[in-house]
Amino acid sequence: MENKRCIASEKLCETGFSYTLSLINGKYKMTILYTLMEFTVVRYNELQRYIKGISYKTLSLSLKELENDGLIIRKEYPQIPPKVEYSLSERGKSLMPILDGMCEWGDKNRM
């Protein structure tokens, strides 16, 4: 007997897809992760200049959420003026094959 799934008895919010999407959802989170993948260690102002059009508030909020979710590391240096650098955590690095796949798909399918 074939075990057929029924949509009525399942919930999208209980899937791995939904969980992953909840971590990277947002206009700029994937862009921030991509930037850290490409440049390894990046300072706040460098991120803001690289990602054209992102506001100070949006960048700050996105970085805080990515840090709280364990995808990036924020390293603050005790100096004046303050110096803060961002990089991918091991957990964030584990997402990179997915980003690589998206980049490859985009290169092949760009019109």
Side-chain angles (χ1 to χ4, degrees):
M1 183 175 181
E2 187 179 321
N3 187 9
K4 195 166 184 174
R5 295 172 60 199
C6 176
I7 194 168
S9 62
E10 298 199 19
K11 295 181 179 106
L12 179 64
C13 65
E14 295 173 355
T15 65
F17 172 80
S18 180
Y19 175 72
T20 304
L21 195 58
S22 75
L23 296 179
I24 60 174
N25 201 13
K27 187 172 180 179
Y28 293 103
K29 285 185 179 179
M30 290 289 286
T31 305
I32 292 167
L33 292 170
Y34 171 81
T35 304
L36 295 177
M37 176 183 75
E38 288 292 306
F39 298 101
T40 314
V41 177
V42 181
R43 294 178 69 179
Y44 184 93
N45 287 334
E46 293 171 328
L47 270 169
Q48 194 166 34
R49 278 192 299 272
Y50 185 72
I51 306 170
K52 300 278 186 227
I54 190 169
S55 71
Y56 178 88
K57 181 180 177 181
T58 301
L59 180 56
S60 293
L61 182 62
S62 297
L63 288 168
K64 283 178 186 162
E65 289 175 0
L66 289 166
E67 183 184 11
N68 288 339
D69 290 332
L71 298 177
I72 66 170
I73 297 168
R74 179 183 189 271
K75 185 171 183 181
E76 191 171 341
Y77 295 89
Q79 64 185 51
I80 297 173
K83 178 182 173 183
V84 178
E85 293 178 337
Y86 296 92
S87 60
L88 291 173
S89 66
E90 288 305 313
R91 188 173 192 217
K93 288 175 185 175
S94 71
L95 268 174
M96 293 309 102
I98 295 167
L99 276 183
D100 282 337
M102 291 175 69
C103 292
E104 289 173 21
W105 187 92
D107 287 340
K108 289 178 186 172
N109 292 281
R110 189 181 319 185
M111 295 185 169

